Amino acid sequence: MRIWVDADACPNVVKQILFRAAERVQIKCILVANQAISMPPSKWIERKVVQSGFDEADNYIVDNLTPEDLVITADIPLASDCVEKGAMVINPRGEEYTRENIRQRLNMRDFMEQMRSSGVQTDGPQAFNQQDRMAFANSLDRILARKLA
């Protein structure tokens, strides 16, 4: 099992939780981004810088993950592709994406995108807060316990 992180938009506090978890359970955590991302020195944490361009990081993750892996992303289309390949996926707020719920999330994302493109003003996501941080940490712990049992 490896942890893949769509690192460009991942909150720093989530990355810090992932760094500690990777060290604690001795599992590879791979940050994928189109720019250098700071990370602590560790044999369990890697960085992969991909070319700048539309979906380059997403494509790299999808092309290299296995069904045993965990992916951290808020990108719904990426989450859908990863779930389709059998990986577990959670977003930085701790919500797990599954075969049962990903289609609904993708449909809602597409609907909101259509609304925005037609000129409707929509609110963006709420600011990341302590509750989101706790939800992410709890989801990560549950998944790691399940996968490593």
Side-chain angles (χ1 to χ4, degrees):
M1 175 186 185
R2 295 170 296 179
I3 301 172
W4 294 92
V5 183
D6 183 12
D8 284 320
C10 187
N12 284 329
V13 66
V14 168
K15 287 184 251 187
Q16 295 301 318
I17 292 168
L18 289 165
F19 298 156
R20 287 191 300 275
E23 288 291 328
R24 185 179 76 241
V25 299
Q26 298 182 342
I27 191 168
K28 284 286 184 193
C29 179
I30 306 158
L31 305 171
V32 182
N34 61 16
Q35 60 186 333
I37 301 288
S38 65
M39 57 184 223
S42 169
K43 70 178 190 174
W44 302 107
I45 303 167
E46 297 178 6
R47 168 178 45 219
K48 175 62 181 169
V49 179
V50 298
Q51 292 181 344
S52 291
F54 186 70
D55 287 342
E56 290 291 329
D58 298 2
N59 293 338
Y60 184 86
I61 292 170
V62 171
D63 291 345
N64 289 281
L65 67 83
T66 66
E68 295 81 33
D69 292 342
L70 170 63
V71 178
I72 312 302
T73 185
D75 183 320
I76 304 295
L78 171 58
S80 179
D81 291 344
C82 295
V83 166
E84 190 174 301
K85 285 192 73 174
M88 297 189 75
V89 182
I90 58 175
N91 71 20
R93 295 177 189 269
E95 180 182 7
E96 188 173 340
Y97 297 122
T98 65
R99 291 186 190 279
E100 289 75 34
N101 70 13
I102 193 63
R103 189 63 42 211
Q104 176 187 3
R105 300 300 187 280
L106 196 54
N107 288 340
M108 180 57 76
R109 177 220 175 255
D110 292 345
F111 173 73
M112 296 304 288
E113 181 75 21
Q114 187 177 23
M115 296 276 289
R116 284 188 293 273
S117 67
S118 67
V120 175
Q121 293 288 332
T122 60
D123 294 332
Q126 293 181 348
F128 195 82
N129 60 35
Q130 183 67 24
Q131 186 177 0
D132 296 324
R133 177 182 176 175
M134 291 291 295
F136 176 80
N138 290 338
S139 289
L140 179 64
D141 284 344
R142 273 193 311 275
I143 289 170
L144 290 175
R146 202 165 55 218
K147 285 287 214 176
L148 301 174

